[in-house]
Amino acid sequence: MSPMLCVLEQRDGTLRKVSHEIVAAGRKVADAMSTTVDALVFGHDDVEGLDALGACGADRVLVATHDTFRLYSPEGQTATIAGLAANYSTVLFAATATGKDLAPRVAARLETSCATEVTDITVAEGRVVVTRPVYAGRAIQQLRMMASTAVLSIRPNTFPVTDAGRPGTLESIPVPEFTANVEVVEVKAPAEAALDVGEAAIVVSGGRGLKEPENFSLIEDLADAFGQAAVGASRAVVDAGWRDHSAQVGQTGKTVSPGLYVAVGISGAIQHLAGMRTAKVIVAINRDKDAPIFKVADYGIVGDLFEVVPRLTAEVRKLRAEG
Amino acid sequence: MSSPAANSRFTGVDFYEADRLLSEEERAIRDTVRTWVDDNLMPIIGDCYVEGRFPKELIGGMGELGFFGANLPEAYGCAGLNNVAYGLIMQELERGDSGVRSFASVQGALVMYPIFAFGAEEQKQYWLPRLASGEEIGCFGLTEPDFGSNPAGLVTTARKGDGGWVLNGTKMWITNGSQATVAIVWAKVGEVDDPASIRGFIVPTNTPGFTAKDQKGKLSLRASDTSELHLQDVHLPVDALLPESSGIKSPLMCLTQARYGIAWGAIGAAMACYDEALRYAVNRVMFDRPIGQTQIQQVRLADMLTEITKAQLLTLQLGRLKDDHLLTPQQVSLAKRNNVNMATECAREARRLLGANGILAEYHSMRHMANLESVYTYEGTHDMHSLILGEKITGLSAF
Amino acid sequence: MKIAVCLKRVPDTTAKVVIADDGVSIDPTGVKFVPNPYDEYAIEEAIARKTAAGEGETVVVSLGTDAAQETIRSALAMGIDRGVLLQIAEHPDPAAAAALLADELATGGYDLILMGKMAVDDSQHQVGPQVAERLGMACITAVAHLKIDGGTVTAEREIEGAVEVVRCGLPAVITCDKGLNTPRLPALKGIMAAKKKPLDIKPVTAGESAFEVLSLTLPPDRPPGRIVGEGPDAVPELVRLLRTEAKAI
């Protein structure tokens, strides 16, 4: 069986966390197929963290270096991957902003479809079979990939990283000639580096129950108390202009699978529930004990969020201070 | 989370697939209004009601989308819809609030319609596009303090003088009165005991002698302005007269138009209450099960759905008759009487099903319940429509 | 400027999903179908750009069954000039869909091709870049802010925790994200005018699918949770459970 190619992501010269998950997913399939895993990294200079990729499951780490790879280069990266893809049974991306842009370009070069936002991968009769949510999480689809090279993107936070103990040998690879019609000119980082709701291990989301946009400070405080937590929002408050669309969880927003999801003052419209029901643990805080959110929550507190949330923030801070 | 009622947007009530009886355009029009109500009216209507405020910030948007006088011709800046589509607009607006539907009813059926039906060409060209866009806001002055169910007795007068008309009188229970930039005022040009001398006048409300003041202390239609109009020596040019208006029959024709819209509107209010009651019934848990699993609430919901379904089919046929020019005022009376009464009952039962929550403005049923008491009373009270039908049935007038 | 919008007819996002007897598709009974919400941003963008320019043409192209005519008319009601239905018995896989759309778009002389970043039914977000690759056009995906200055497109797209500023020339394929604009409702006059606008119907057939749908199932129910308690006094117990039972913190 041909090996797996995992296309990794870096930002500012550091591998992104999701890159480990791509390699872990590749390792899982490679073990089922008795084959090897190559990890492909794009950069314009040294990239930090490549030495950890063997542990995640990479047999080889391929490094493609080019001046334009300081930022995302759609055409350069497409050309590089497309030049290699025929040697692989599967090319894996992350279903991130970059992966969602890049994977279909590569699939088009291979004249096939990719499968995006994959949450599980198995192998049956020598073919890759993927599981992926459709209808914004209201149904689950299984697809058998028919092309000789399957192109997939995996959903962040769904493939656990375990110590695989592979060599992770570094190799440089050439970048083919390409024409750059599309140029990423700049990455504008927000004043405070905000964690993305789609990738964070903990998401604290607020809804209409907060009553005023200013009260989102309660949510921010709680997220801060957890550490490494992103602030999410329901569609209602995004539509009302309280929060940026990038924070929206659910239909027309993001589908998230964090380890912990805390829903504050969110009643739980079906579109919201579909977007967060794959979280590992769900906590709901709402004053209406009949709110639909409690039907999916593992733990609920019925009460006034303006009393409950500050107390929770304090307790979490206390716990973390105790270590 | 398996209940169809567990999402926030209103998706209608259609047990008998009455949607199949609508054309694609009729459904698209209904959906535009439905979405507009969800996006623009529902987030604010509870507060407007509590504050006793008509949401006038919505007028421009309603005009832009073509909600006013939508069954009048495109040549006058209107949408040129058939009467079923017009009815569906009223249904969806009243799903939001009877006061907002009342605003649109008055603007379309009681201000634009009489200008269209009884006005001179220049009057139509001038007023209809401005009223369709919401640039001008109209009100309809027929009812007087002592003449409600018996409008033929009105005592407002219009006398020739100063090369024009001079109007004097008082009008009451006038929806939009204090907001209006123009009033259609019905007055007698002859003796006060001669209903044949009733004529309609277009009265810009900034004309000296015209004043309007809101009627305070309403416990119903709180998101709608209801006003008293005073006309004291209001001088108007000759061309303020609607030339084709002639006798009590003219304002009654307007009322038939408005009642037709009310018959549809009431279904909207009933659907809103049923929808809210259903969502609540399947989610509210008491004694370890949803209250929707108890017989008493199932009877409530079954009764509501049955009555709504009957009214939908009845009213759709009424609309088709209107489009085929076969409609009689008595058929409109039957629909107005039945549907408003039905909606009033649905609202009351829904409010009861909602328990203590049902008295909060955050829920909608009690607001509809209170509103519908006005709808029950205006545009011909329920009882008057009984008598109109009684007269039609027996040939004997009881009024 | 000549602008094409690709539009897909999808089940309403609030529709309850019921799996059909074939086990690989949804049961459409009683399901309301709507324009793909992300494609509505594309429609709005096309109409607004033509209105602002005061000239040009907007064309909506939809690949779908006969029923998609209604969806096309909803775009015409919003203000798109004319429609093309690429009529097919059932939706093909994304690569085949992109090939059919690209065939239609190739000869149109379009300066700009707009569509949603993804369709909310199969959630694949790939037809845009696939169409662009086939047409050899520049492509920017998931755009939430778009500026076109002469022949230069400058777009902003959200990447995790930051915003990427991307530039390309025309012609280009742009896929639209929420935030780009607020789609208008079709005005009643627009709805009446839509049925008089041209709508070409072109039957097409798709090539072989790149994948086989093995199953479609409802997501597993989450095990029943519990109410830890009422009010702030329940917080210590919640924190204890999160730490010792769920091991989430």
Side-chain angles (χ1 to χ4, degrees):
Chain A
M1 207 59 175
S2 311
M4 316 289 302
L5 180 65
C6 296
V7 181
L8 309 194
E9 287 181 32
Q10 54 100 0
R11 200 178 290 175
D12 300 330
T14 304
L15 276 188
R16 306 190 68 238
K17 170 176 161 275
V18 73
S19 292
H20 297 166
E21 299 170 16
I22 307 169
V23 176
R27 185 76 254 157
K28 181 182 174 218
V29 188
D31 286 346
M33 288 181 155
S34 306
T35 185
T36 58
V37 174
D38 288 353
L40 172 60
V41 183
F42 295 98
H44 79 297
D45 203 348
D46 288 346
V47 176
E48 300 268 338
L50 300 186
D51 47 353
L53 293 173
C56 298
D59 295 291
R60 293 196 302 169
V61 178
L62 313 180
V63 183
T65 307
H66 193 278
D67 279 349
T68 66
F69 292 172
R70 185 176 70 81
L71 298 171
Y72 172 48
S73 164
E75 281 124 339
Q77 297 183 9
T78 299
T80 309
I81 301 162
L84 301 170
N87 306 322
Y88 292 91
S89 66
T90 309
V91 184
L92 281 168
F93 298 81
T96 55
T98 301
K100 285 174 186 171
D101 189 274
L102 186 53
R105 294 174 189 266
V106 171
R109 296 287 174 94
L110 303 175
E111 295 191 342
T112 188
S113 295
C114 57
T116 57
E117 299 255 18
V118 168
T119 56
D120 196 17
I121 311 172
T122 56
V123 177
E125 295 156 25
R127 300 259 183 211
V128 170
V129 174
V130 300
T131 303
R132 54 188 301 276
V134 287
Y135 301 102
R138 286 172 297 153
I140 309 288
Q141 180 186 57
Q142 271 205 327
L143 297 178
R144 178 188 286 137
M145 306 300 287
M146 306 303 282
S148 53
T149 302
V151 183
L152 316 176
S153 69
I154 60 155
R155 175 179 286 186
N157 276 340
T158 43
F159 289 87
V161 179
T162 50
D163 194 342
R166 309 300 293 196
T169 322
L170 284 185
E171 280 179 40
S172 281
I173 59 157
V175 175
E177 291 288 317
F178 65 91
T179 315
N181 294 311
V182 177
E183 185 196 2
V184 175
V185 288
E186 184 190 356
V187 171
K188 293 199 287 193
E192 261 176 274
L195 275 170
D196 182 70
V197 292
E199 294 187 335
I202 298 178
V203 176
V204 185
S205 284
R208 277 269 189 211
L210 286 159
K211 292 199 166 78
E212 304 287 341
E214 297 73 39
N215 295 333
F216 249 89
S217 60
L218 290 173
I219 304 297
E220 286 158 3
D221 288 350
L222 179 55
D224 183 61
F226 280 121
Q228 297 302 304
V231 173
S234 71
R235 172 178 173 155
V237 303
V238 170
D239 283 352
W242 296 7
R243 302 299 287 187
D244 188 77
H245 170 239
S246 60
Q248 184 180 323
V249 173
Q251 185 83 61
T252 70
K254 288 179 177 148
T255 307
V256 302
S257 307
L260 173 62
Y261 187 88
V262 183
V264 178
I266 293 176
S267 63
I270 192 165
Q271 302 97 320
H272 189 82
L273 299 181
M276 42 66 88
R277 59 178 302 140
T278 53
K280 284 164 200 76
V281 179
I282 297 174
V283 171
I285 298 166
N286 203 295
R287 73 182 168 89
D288 176 7
K289 77 173 176 60
D290 299 318
I293 193 78
F294 287 122
K295 293 191 181 150
V296 300
D298 299 288
Y299 305 107
I301 292 184
V302 179
D304 181 353
L305 71 90
F306 295 99
E307 295 174 9
V308 175
V309 173
R311 178 76 185 271
L312 180 57
T313 303
E315 291 286 336
V316 172
R317 281 196 206 285
K318 195 167 88 188
L319 185 73
R320 296 193 65 219
E322 286 162 3
Chain B
M1 265 322 299
S2 58
S3 154
N7 62 64
S8 54
R9 294 184 87 83
F10 180 71
T11 51
V13 179
D14 188 12
F15 196 63
Y16 265 35
E17 301 205 20
D19 257 22
R20 294 163 56 111
L21 303 173
L22 301 176
S23 70
E24 183 183 311
E25 287 80 24
E26 287 162 350
R27 279 184 277 120
I29 286 159
R30 191 261 323 271
D31 290 348
T32 277
V33 187
R34 183 171 287 175
T35 307
W36 181 87
V37 167
D38 266 336
D39 291 349
N40 297 277
L41 182 57
M42 298 317 289
I44 60 170
I45 186 59
D47 287 344
C48 286
Y49 196 85
V50 171
E51 293 160 15
R53 178 180 83 82
F54 173 75
K56 60 179 176 215
E57 64 271 30
L58 301 182
I59 296 171
M62 293 167 79
E64 205 169 294
L65 290 170
F67 295 178
F68 302 135
N71 55 349
L72 299 179
E74 288 173 83
Y76 298 114
C78 305
L81 308 185
N82 69 16
N83 286 290
V84 169
Y86 172 84
L88 289 164
I89 299 171
M90 297 300 131
Q91 169 188 299
E92 293 303 318
L93 289 177
E94 194 147 3
R95 197 265 299 181
D97 188 75
S98 301
V100 175
R101 197 272 306 141
S102 294
F103 181 93
S105 277
V106 168
Q107 184 88 348
L110 297 181
V111 178
M112 295 170 71
Y113 171 78
I115 294 172
F116 172 72
F118 312 124
E121 188 56 32
E122 304 76 56
Q123 290 172 324
K124 297 183 207 181
Q125 295 283 357
Y126 181 84
W127 288 104
L128 292 178
R130 288 172 172 80
L131 288 157
S133 69
E135 180 192 332
E136 302 273 359
I137 298 169
C139 69
F140 179 80
L142 174 67
T143 299
E144 298 185 358
D146 294 324
F147 297 92
S149 292
N150 174 23
L154 64 84
V155 295
T156 297
T157 58
R159 298 285 175 252
K160 286 227 165 102
D162 263 1
W165 296 95
V166 182
L167 270 61
N168 277 286
T170 299
K171 300 290 180 181
M172 209 167 167
W173 307 112
I174 308 304
T175 300
N176 305 354
S178 59
Q179 298 279 339
T181 56
V182 60
I184 301 297
V185 175
W186 299 91
K188 284 178 176 158
V189 295
E191 297 302 315
V192 290
D193 57 0
D194 177 15
S197 77
I198 293 175
R199 298 286 182 277
F201 294 86
I202 302 176
V203 184
T205 57
N206 59 4
T207 312
F210 183 101
T211 50
K213 72 166 199 267
D214 279 337
Q215 293 175 237
K216 298 290 179 195
K218 282 190 300 172
L219 298 174
S220 173
L221 287 185
R222 288 185 53 77
S224 168
D225 295 312
T226 309
S227 323
E228 218 178 297
L229 311 181
H230 292 280
L231 296 102
Q232 187 168 8
D233 294 331
V234 173
H235 288 255
L236 298 170
V238 177
D239 62 5
L241 174 76
L242 291 170
E244 304 299 324
S245 66
S246 166
I248 185 65
K249 174 170 113 290
S250 297
L252 294 185
M253 282 169 68
C254 300
L255 294 179
T256 298
Q257 298 298 316
R259 288 165 184 165
Y260 169 79
I262 292 168
W264 282 95
I267 298 173
M271 291 199 298
C273 296
Y274 170 79
D275 183 66
E276 180 168 80
L278 172 59
R279 287 171 200 245
Y280 195 81
V282 297
N283 283 308
R284 173 75 175 174
V285 174
M286 197 54 64
F287 303 112
D288 298 323
R289 59 179 178 171
I291 62 169
Q293 209 173 342
T294 62
Q295 290 185 357
I296 191 164
Q297 309 302 12
Q298 291 194 353
V299 171
R300 281 200 162 110
L301 292 166
D303 282 347
M304 283 187 228
L305 181 61
T306 304
E307 290 305 319
I308 290 168
T309 303
K310 284 153 68 178
Q312 285 172 329
L313 297 173
L314 165 86
T315 313
L316 182 57
Q317 171 66 1
L318 187 76
R320 298 291 180 223
L321 287 172
K322 191 169 193 302
D323 280 331
D324 290 344
H325 308 288
L326 295 171
L327 183 87
T328 68
Q330 293 81 8
Q331 288 168 337
V332 179
S333 287
L334 187 151
K336 192 269 182 185
R337 177 178 184 270
N338 176 76
N339 293 7
V340 177
N341 190 53
M342 172 282 289
T344 310
E345 294 298 322
C346 281
R348 182 173 296 114
E349 292 305 316
R351 201 232 55 77
R352 288 176 180 166
L353 182 148
L354 291 165
N357 282 317
I359 71 163
L360 298 172
E362 177 183 341
Y363 291 83
H364 305 297
S365 295
M366 187 154 176
R367 175 168 52 77
H368 282 297
M369 183 184 102
N371 279 339
L372 286 162
E373 287 298 328
S374 291
V375 183
Y376 186 93
T377 305
Y378 72 22
E379 299 276 358
T381 66
H382 184 81
D383 295 342
M384 281 309 300
H385 288 297
S386 306
L387 300 185
I388 291 167
L389 285 172
E391 182 187 28
K392 176 71 181 172
I393 296 162
T394 63
L396 305 168
S397 173
F399 60 101
Chain C
M1 190 181 290
K2 196 168 174 189
I3 307 175
V5 175
C6 298
L7 170 65
K8 189 176 186 185
R9 178 176 184 264
V10 298
D12 187 11
T13 56
T14 59
K16 181 173 150 58
V17 170
V18 176
I19 309 297
D21 290 341
D22 65 8
V24 295
S25 61
I26 64 161
D27 180 351
T29 312
V31 173
K32 188 182 171 197
F33 284 79
V34 297
N36 175 39
Y38 290 103
D39 295 341
E40 291 191 301
Y41 301 117
I43 294 169
E44 175 63 34
E45 194 64 24
I47 296 167
R49 289 200 173 270
K50 185 194 153 181
T51 307
E55 51 88 34
E57 189 188 21
T58 54
V59 182
V60 63
V61 181
S62 185
L63 172 68
T65 64
D66 222 27
Q69 282 189 54
E70 181 174 357
T71 315
I72 292 174
R73 272 192 293 271
S74 70
L76 302 180
M78 288 170 75
I80 295 286
D81 298 327
R82 64 180 176 89
V84 177
L85 171 64
L86 303 179
Q87 188 187 40
I88 196 161
E90 57 184 311
H91 270 288
D93 69 302
L100 292 168
L101 288 166
D103 281 350
E104 170 64 24
L105 295 165
T107 55
Y110 296 104
D111 303 293
L112 191 60
I113 297 171
L114 299 167
M115 68 187 86
K117 69 166 181 179
M118 63 181 278
V120 299
D121 53 358
D122 66 359
S123 312
Q124 285 282 19
H125 49 69
Q126 59 178 295
V127 171
Q130 290 240 12
V131 166
E133 281 285 337
R134 281 176 168 77
L135 295 176
M137 279 189 195
C139 176
I140 307 177
T141 59
V143 169
H145 183 82
L146 181 65
K147 204 175 94 186
I148 301 178
D149 205 348
T152 307
V153 177
T154 308
E156 292 188 3
R157 58 194 298 267
E158 190 228 324
I159 60 173
E160 295 72 19
V163 171
E164 207 167 63
V165 183
V166 191
R167 196 174 291 157
C168 71
L170 291 176
V173 176
I174 303 290
T175 75
C176 305
D177 200 356
K178 187 173 179 177
L180 182 61
N181 53 43
T182 306
R184 68 194 68 194
L185 280 172
L188 308 191
K189 276 188 225 177
I191 293 169
M192 300 311 285
K195 57 183 172 186
K196 295 171 202 135
K197 291 184 177 178
L199 200 174
D200 287 346
I201 298 172
K202 303 181 180 178
V204 293
T205 46
E208 212 165 299
S209 179
F211 40 60
E212 184 187 343
V213 182
L214 299 180
S215 67
L216 186 72
T217 52
L218 296 178
D221 279 334
R222 288 185 73 93
R226 64 182 127 143
I227 302 288
V228 177
E230 296 197 5
D233 293 344
V235 167
E237 174 64 2
L238 171 66
V239 172
R240 190 190 68 79
L241 288 167
L242 286 177
R243 195 166 66 137
T244 59
E245 189 180 86
K247 298 189 180 1
I249 51 176

